[in-house]
């Protein structure tokens, strides 16, 4: 099969691409396209179809036409296709890493790490296909009572731009393993790696129509997908505002939703913390992918006794964190994804200057390309938990440092947030650390470690950080529905002694 995407890493272009509907590579029905941009330079690298309602209708129809056949394809066969896809991802990892880096701003070494890990997700979810199922139930009388765990049918996957392939794989792989068909709407900022992934899906031998990709903008392609009456499940990762809009569209046709909506995660440092580790985790927490991470540890609760020593080490460490081009070997932090993201983060830095004390950063890093969307790691101290920079998701490398001294008050402040995705506790006293883990109102806690996403551990949020769980065995609920079956084993309705014949 000829490859449709041509990745030129020297020219940093990809050419014009098509989207994948019903097993065919097509332009948008309107014929319109939009530019894919390299955030390191601000240059256009490809033209992408600008999908709309007509394209969504076509993709959902293709997915619906295959839904029953895919549901009744042997689970082992579905699993085998997912494992073949994992192998193809590994074989094409270098090219996928370049695409991800060029289109999303992950620096190449990081993109290689991310893509290198991806086959683990395919393998884990392939394993679910023939290992999860219904249960038998003990009911009174001579009956066989059991459940069947069945797919939802057509599922929609609305993906953001921060981890395009990881977020695509973590929802489509379990959906496919459990017998659903998929329509994917990648983020308009990062369509390219998803289209190459779709080529690999085709090469792996998935039947046409099982996996479809419609590229385009949120209101034009995402909204009609969420609203489509034949879509029975929607997995969305992104902003709270858009998540709520998607859930409202889903409610109109009673589709199931899985929402992962970001956070304002506390990094909690106790006075007995191992300082060097805590500093490194803090840097990872707010600088990983330039802070464009749902779990970003952007609220640092720092015990007053160690504040000076900690901040001194933090500033020294940040001075070594090179911000730059994705292809520069020394880069530890790339650009923000888009001009819009840069404007948004810059606005929050200005708000921070009014609310708190700017300790470090706040500007454009020296030596970075003029057209790129770079921002320095930025640290504000003397932040109050009620400040906007402590409550709102900035989605950039901006840290708000909040001093604390009383443990009860600390917990109240940590939980005083509309979000509840994740928290980190650095503390050598295991009793204190576990007490925090038990009382924090969040979907995930790391103790003496920074976040590492894995397919086997459930990920998701409390409060406005979302609903449902990605990954782990818990993800099964997001892509299945339960059918109850009851069988009378007496052979005739009135033969059994428990039949009263009474009406309900
Ligand atoms: P967004 O939530 O608007 O976009 C995410 C996805 O939803 C994209 O595929 C987009 O095309 C789609 N979308 C947008 N409007 C839609 C609609 N009306 N109906 C259906 N789909 C729609 O997020 P955006 O604008 O890219 O980023 C804004 C903020 O959202 C960020 O600054 C960050 O705070 C947050 N965010 C959180 C993410 C996370 O990992 N939890 C990921 C991306 C953004
Ligand atoms: Mg891009």
């Amino acid at each position: 099969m000829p490859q449709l995407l041509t990745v030129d890493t020297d020219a940093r272009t990809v050419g014009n691409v098509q989207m994948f509907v019903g097993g065919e590579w097509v332009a948008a029905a309107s014929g319109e396209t939009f530019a894919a941009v390299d955030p390191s330079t601000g240059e256009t690298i490809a033209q992408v179809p600008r999908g709309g309602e007509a394209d969504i209708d076509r993709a959902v129809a293709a997915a619906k036409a295959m839904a029953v056949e895919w549901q009744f394809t042997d689970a082992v066969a579905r699993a085998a296709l997912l494992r073949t896809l994992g192998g193809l991802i590994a074989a094409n990892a270098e090219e996928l890493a370049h695409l991800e880096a060029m289109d999303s701003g992950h620096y190449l070494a990081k993109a290689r790490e991310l893509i290198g890990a991806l086959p683990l997700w395919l393998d884990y979810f392939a394993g679910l296909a023939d290992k999860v199922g219904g249960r038998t139930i003990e009911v009174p009388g001579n009956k066989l009572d059991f459940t069947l765990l069945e797919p939802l049918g057509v599922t929609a996957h609305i993906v953001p731009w921060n981890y395009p392939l990881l977020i695509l794989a973590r929802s489509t792989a379990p959906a496919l393993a459990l017998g659903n068909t998929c329509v994917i709407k990648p983020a308009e900022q990062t369509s390219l790696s998803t289209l190459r992934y779709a080529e690999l899906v085709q090469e792996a031998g998935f039947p046409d129509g099982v996996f479809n990709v419609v590229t385009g903008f949120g209101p034009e392609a995402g909204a009609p997908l969420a609203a489509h009456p034949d879509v029975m499940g929607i997995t969305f990762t992104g902003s709270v505002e858009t998540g709520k809009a998607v859930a409202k569209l889903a409610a109109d046709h009673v589709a199931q939703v899985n929402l992962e909506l970001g956070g304002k995660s506390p990094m909690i440092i106790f006075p007995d913390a191992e300082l060097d580790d805590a500093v490194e985790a803090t840097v990872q927490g707010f600088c990983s992918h330039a802070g464009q991470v749902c779990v970003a540890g952007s609220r640092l609760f720092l015990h007053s006794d160690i504040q000076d020593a900690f901040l001194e080490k933090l500033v020294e460490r940040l001075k070594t964190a090179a911000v730059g081009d994705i292809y520069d070997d020394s880069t530890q932090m790339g650009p923000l994804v888009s001009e819009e993201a840069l404007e948004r983060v810059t606005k929050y830095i200005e708000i921070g200057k009014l609310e708190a004390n700017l300790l470090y950063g706040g500007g454009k890093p020296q030596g970075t390309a003029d057209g790129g969307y770079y921002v320095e790691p930025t640290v504000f101290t003397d932040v109050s938990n009620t400040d906007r920079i402590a409550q709102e998701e900035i989605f950039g490398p901006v840290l708000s440092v909040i001093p604390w001294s009383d443990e009860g008050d600390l917990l109240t402040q940590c939980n005083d947030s509309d979000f509840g995705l994740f928290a980190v506790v650095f503390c050598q006293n295991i009793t204190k650390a576990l007490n925090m883990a038990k009382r924090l109102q969040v979907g995930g806690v790391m103790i003496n470690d920074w976040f590492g996403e894995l397919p086997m551990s459930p990920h998701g949020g409390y409060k406005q950080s979302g609903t449902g769980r990605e990954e782990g065995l818990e993800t099964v609920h997001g892509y299945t529905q339960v059918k109850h079956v009851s069988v009378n084993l007496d052979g005739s309705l009135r033969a059994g002694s428990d039949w009263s014949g009474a009406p309900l």
Side-chain angles (χ1 to χ4, degrees):
M1 192 188 71
Q3 190 182 318
L4 301 162
L5 267 74
T6 351
V7 187
D8 183 336
T9 53
D10 293 329
R12 288 171 83 146
T13 56
V14 174
N16 298 345
V17 298
Q18 292 181 306
M19 55 192 190
F20 189 54
V21 177
E24 285 173 26
W25 290 92
V26 296
S30 67
E32 285 183 48
T33 63
F34 64 99
V37 171
D38 176 349
S40 293
T41 61
E43 301 289 332
T44 295
I45 53 178
Q47 286 294 326
V48 180
R50 184 168 177 165
E53 192 166 352
D55 304 290
I56 290 293
D57 286 348
R58 221 180 126 189
V60 173
K64 189 181 178 188
M66 274 307 293
V68 172
E69 187 178 326
W70 185 243
Q71 172 180 356
F72 292 110
T73 297
D74 285 349
V76 288
R78 295 197 303 261
L81 284 168
L82 285 163
R83 292 201 180 92
T84 302
L85 176 60
L88 287 171
I89 291 167
N92 293 277
E94 187 61 10
E95 184 185 39
L96 285 166
H98 279 278
L99 267 177
E100 199 77 316
M102 267 196 250
D103 204 14
S104 76
H106 279 288
Y107 59 92
L108 184 63
K110 178 58 70 178
R112 283 180 172 143
E113 249 178 59
L114 290 167
I115 305 297
L118 209 54
L120 193 59
W121 270 255
L122 279 300
D123 189 47
Y124 179 82
F125 292 119
L128 289 183
D130 58 1
K131 289 178 194 62
V132 299
R135 65 189 177 102
T136 53
I137 303 168
E138 291 304 323
V139 295
N142 187 23
K143 294 184 182 197
L144 177 61
D145 204 271
F146 60 96
T147 62
L148 295 172
L149 206 52
E150 298 191 339
L152 299 172
V154 179
T155 55
H157 304 260
I158 302 177
V159 180
W161 41 262
N162 51 347
Y163 291 85
L165 283 190
L166 172 65
I167 294 176
L168 172 76
R170 78 182 183 189
S171 77
T172 55
L176 293 167
L178 296 164
N180 301 276
T181 56
C182 299
V183 178
I184 294 107
K185 210 298 281 172
E188 54 272 28
Q189 297 86 348
T190 54
S191 315
L192 302 179
S193 59
T194 300
L195 293 171
R196 179 71 186 116
Y197 188 99
E199 287 185 345
L200 299 177
V201 166
Q202 192 177 30
E203 193 177 334
F206 282 82
D208 293 349
V210 163
F211 185 97
N212 306 273
V213 181
V214 176
T215 50
F217 293 89
E220 295 172 9
L225 177 58
H228 202 293
D230 290 334
V231 168
M232 289 291 106
I234 304 170
T235 299
F236 170 86
T237 303
S239 63
V240 174
E241 196 189 354
T242 305
K244 287 177 182 171
V246 164
K248 284 176 188 159
L249 293 171
D252 275 341
H253 59 286
V254 199
Q256 189 170 311
V257 288
N258 304 307
L259 303 173
E260 203 268 71
L261 306 179
K264 193 75 193 179
S265 302
M267 293 280 309
I268 304 159
I269 317 293
F270 276 72
D272 70 346
E274 167 46 65
L275 271 202
D276 289 332
D277 285 357
V279 167
E280 188 57 32
T282 300
V283 172
Q284 298 295 331
F286 85 101
C287 294
S288 282
H289 198 23
Q292 303 170 111
V293 186
C294 55
V295 293
S298 49
R299 276 193 302 161
L300 183 75
F301 286 93
L302 184 57
H303 195 278
S304 320
D305 288 354
I306 53 164
Q307 177 157 297
D308 293 346
F310 185 100
L311 291 176
E312 200 177 306
K313 279 178 185 283
L314 178 66
V315 167
E316 285 311 307
R317 171 67 179 87
L318 289 175
K319 284 183 190 161
T320 68
V323 183
D325 188 88
I326 50 166
Y327 284 139
D328 188 333
D329 287 342
S330 66
T331 295
Q332 293 184 16
M333 191 174 102
L336 297 172
V337 71
S338 64
E339 193 165 7
E340 192 190 0
L342 180 60
E343 277 168 20
R344 186 188 156 97
V345 173
T346 306
K347 182 194 82 182
Y348 275 109
I349 290 174
E350 291 311 312
I351 292 170
K353 285 179 187 166
L354 298 175
E355 288 181 329
N357 169 53
L358 177 65
L359 176 74
Y360 188 87
K364 188 173 166 74
Q366 282 187 341
T368 50
D370 286 345
Y373 312 125
Y374 298 96
V375 62
E376 282 180 305
T378 300
V379 180
F380 287 104
T381 53
D382 298 329
V383 180
S384 154
N385 191 48
T386 53
D387 288 340
R388 286 185 67 188
I389 59 166
Q391 288 292 324
E392 296 175 21
E393 186 175 50
I394 298 174
F395 235 57
V398 181
L399 182 69
S400 299
V401 183
I402 305 169
W404 69 276
S405 50
D406 176 82
E407 280 170 34
D409 183 47
L410 165 72
L411 187 66
T412 307
Q413 290 195 68
C414 288
N415 286 337
D416 181 12
S417 168
D418 288 341
F419 294 108
L421 187 62
F422 179 69
V424 173
V425 182
F426 266 83
C427 181
Q428 292 298 315
N429 180 326
I430 193 69
T431 311
K432 285 186 189 212
L434 289 176
N435 262 298
M436 290 300 288
K438 198 163 172 182
R439 286 171 173 74
L440 285 162
Q441 293 160 353
V442 295
V445 180
M446 292 272 151
I447 297 175
N448 296 330
D449 204 355
W450 171 241
F451 181 74
E453 190 157 344
L454 284 167
M456 52 292 271
S457 307
H459 171 66
Y462 284 19
K463 302 195 241 179
Q464 293 194 29
S465 288
T467 174
R469 289 294 176 270
E470 305 267 14
E471 301 164 327
L473 289 177
E474 288 75 3
T475 203
V476 168
H477 302 299
Y479 301 104
T480 53
Q481 51 193 340
V482 174
K483 181 181 281 173
H484 171 230
V485 182
S486 186
V487 188
N488 174 355
L489 295 179
D490 286 328
S492 91
L493 191 58
R494 286 168 194 278
S497 56
D498 66 324
W499 173 257
S500 68
L504 282 176

